[in-house]
Amino acid sequence: MLELHFTDDQYPYSNITHIRRIARAIVLDENNNVLILKIKRNDMFGNYSYLETPGGGVDENETIECALKRELEEELGVTVTILKKLGIVTDFYNLLNRKNENHYFLVKTIGRTQIHHESFGDTFISKILSMSLDDVIVTYQTEKDIDIIKLVKQRELPMLLEAQKIISNIKQ
């Protein structure tokens, strides 16, 4: 299991006032493609479009695994089974005065439900894409290393590469 720590070197430092626990997933669909979110935003972070794994905040008195399953239903409209915990990434968003504790899982879809976006963050989701894991990795590798894109890429790419190793070991 990976444990990674990153700083925010893209935006000016300000005091960290809170910690957010986040559950995220590399989601394999029925065709073994990855379901990934296309995010479009124009806010304090800038005007950008990029890929991001689905997931979200862990509510008080909620386990990380329950939060993960809830978030995937809300954002993707899927139910899943957890295959493996990939790791934890600690990072910072200086503009939000926040430290993030991202818990990553490799999951497989087992059913479809209804997408029902619940949070402000969900408003940035412009599309749900189904791509091969290799194509997702190449997309991240060729993304710009600036601003919010860099912050997302530095936490996501190592977990995608870890998922790729696990999946290739399963196939052997």
Side-chain angles (χ1 to χ4, degrees):
M1 185 173 85
L2 294 177
E3 287 192 36
L4 305 170
H5 305 277
F6 298 106
T7 59
D8 179 346
D9 59 359
Q10 299 301 296
Y11 300 95
Y13 175 78
S14 57
N15 289 333
I16 301 304
T17 59
H18 59 290
I19 298 171
R20 184 174 187 223
R21 292 175 59 221
I22 301 167
R24 295 194 169 281
I26 286 99
V27 180
L28 300 175
D29 68 12
E30 56 278 354
N31 300 313
N32 287 322
N33 284 324
V34 173
L35 297 178
I36 191 126
L37 304 174
K38 180 74 168 181
I39 303 296
K40 288 191 178 186
R41 67 185 318 138
N42 187 4
D43 59 7
M44 72 170 91
F45 288 101
N47 185 6
Y48 293 107
S49 177
Y50 56 90
L51 298 183
E52 187 170 41
T53 56
V58 179
D59 294 336
E60 192 175 331
N61 298 321
E62 185 177 39
T63 67
I64 293 166
E65 293 81 2
C66 285
L68 179 72
K69 290 179 178 185
R70 175 183 51 75
E71 287 287 342
L72 297 178
E73 269 197 61
E74 291 171 6
E75 292 181 355
L76 301 176
V78 297
T79 56
V80 300
T81 185
I82 296 173
L83 303 175
K84 184 168 181 67
K85 184 161 188 180
L86 298 171
I88 300 171
V89 176
T90 303
D91 65 357
F92 296 84
Y93 281 1
N94 290 341
L95 289 182
L96 299 176
N97 302 67
R98 189 172 80 197
K99 175 182 177 182
N100 302 306
E101 184 182 281
N102 299 278
H103 296 260
Y104 279 84
F105 296 84
L106 178 62
V107 304
K108 178 85 173 165
T109 60
I110 55 173
R112 298 279 176 174
T113 64
Q114 190 80 13
I115 293 173
H116 52 100
H117 293 153
E118 300 281 333
S119 70
F120 174 71
D122 293 340
T123 63
F124 297 122
I125 300 169
S126 68
K127 212 184 270 188
I128 300 167
L129 303 174
S130 176
M131 301 170 63
S132 75
L133 181 56
D134 291 343
D135 286 346
V136 174
I137 289 170
V138 167
T139 301
Y140 272 96
Q141 289 171 331
T142 57
E143 284 282 0
K144 300 173 188 171
D145 278 337
I146 59 165
D147 299 336
I148 189 69
I149 294 171
K150 180 180 181 190
L151 299 181
V152 171
K153 177 181 174 177
Q154 73 184 359
R155 73 162 196 256
E156 304 259 303
L157 188 53
M159 292 302 167
L160 289 159
L161 293 169
E162 183 69 9
Q164 187 181 49
K165 280 193 281 186
I166 291 166
I167 292 166
S168 66
N169 286 338
I170 292 170
K171 289 180 181 177
Q172 295 176 2

